[in-house]
Amino acid sequence: MVMNIQIKITDAEWEVMRVVWAHGSVTSREIIEILESKMQWKAPTIKTLIGRLVEKGALATSPEGRKFIYTAKVSEQESMDVYTEDILSRVCNKHNGKVIADLVEEVALSKKDIASLMELLQKKSESALEVVPCECVTGQCECHLHHS
Ligand SMILES: [Zn+2]
C-alpha cells in the first residue's frame, strides 16, 4: 500500500512504532510491557501515544475478542524516509554532504553496508553536479550573505 500523506512521528511515538514494526501485530498490553521496562513510562502514557498514532493514521486497530490488535499503516522504511527528509530540510542543501558524512562517521556499519554505500556513491558521482544549489529562503542561510 502506497501512502502519500507524510505522517510525522515524534520520538516518543517512534518507540511505540518500533514495537509494532517488530511484531507485525500487537496488543496494547504487549506494547506496554516492552516500553514500561525500556522507557520507564506508565501505562496511561503509552496508551496516550498509541491513541495519538491511531489518530494520525500511523496505526490501525481492530478488535479481537476483548482485546484490540494494533498494526502499522506506515512502513518503517517510509517513516525513516520522512524522518531523514525532515532532518535534511532543516539545513541548507550545501550542508547535506556534511550531515551525511557526520552520520556515517558516528554509526556502526558492517562491511556489507559500506560496500553498498560505496556502490551508491559511485553511481551518484556519475550524475553529480559541481555545486549543489542552495534553495534556502534569503536570510535563513549564509550562502546569500556571503555571495550577494
Ligand atoms: Zn542555503
Side-chain angles (χ1 to χ4, degrees):
M1 186 179 62
V2 180
M3 300 238 340
N4 291 319
I5 343 152
Q6 295 208 329
I7 299 172
K8 288 216 173 130
I9 298 169
T10 65
D11 290 349
E13 290 163 358
W14 196 274
E15 294 293 335
V16 175
M17 290 307 292
R18 282 191 69 174
V19 178
V20 183
W21 285 323
H23 289 76
S25 63
V26 270
T27 61
S28 58
R29 165 147 213 96
E30 289 171 296
I31 299 172
I32 289 166
E33 264 168 30
I34 292 163
L35 295 181
E36 259 180 345
S37 59
K38 182 190 172 188
M39 308 299 292
Q40 266 107 48
W41 289 339
K42 301 257 178 274
T45 308
I46 300 166
K47 281 186 179 156
T48 303
L49 292 171
I50 295 171
R52 262 191 235 150
L53 286 163
V54 172
E55 259 171 49
K56 284 186 180 183
L59 287 182
T61 169
S62 57
E64 195 182 274
R66 286 167 49 208
K67 292 179 294 192
F68 281 96
I69 302 289
Y70 295 90
T71 50
K73 286 174 80 180
V74 288
S75 72
E76 189 168 16
Q77 185 62 56
E78 282 167 342
S79 305
M80 281 194 315
D81 289 347
V82 174
Y83 192 64
T84 37
E85 267 172 42
D86 187 50
I87 292 174
L88 289 174
S89 74
R90 288 161 203 239
V91 298
C92 173
N93 284 345
K94 289 178 183 294
H95 298 318
N96 287 352
K98 174 86 170 76
V99 173
I100 293 164
D102 285 350
L103 254 177
V104 169
E105 192 149 21
E106 277 169 36
V107 299
L109 293 170
S110 68
K111 285 195 188 297
K112 200 172 157 222
D113 292 330
I114 293 169
S116 61
L117 276 171
M118 286 174 80
E119 200 180 308
L120 180 66
L121 284 175
Q122 190 57 51
K123 223 195 249 164
K124 279 278 246 193
S125 77
E126 285 159 21
S127 58
L129 301 167
E130 271 317 309
V131 178
V132 178
C134 157
E135 287 166 11
C136 303
V137 169
T138 308
Q140 274 205 319
C141 134
E142 295 146 18
C143 309
H144 300 292
L145 300 178
H146 293 312
H147 301 296
S148 61

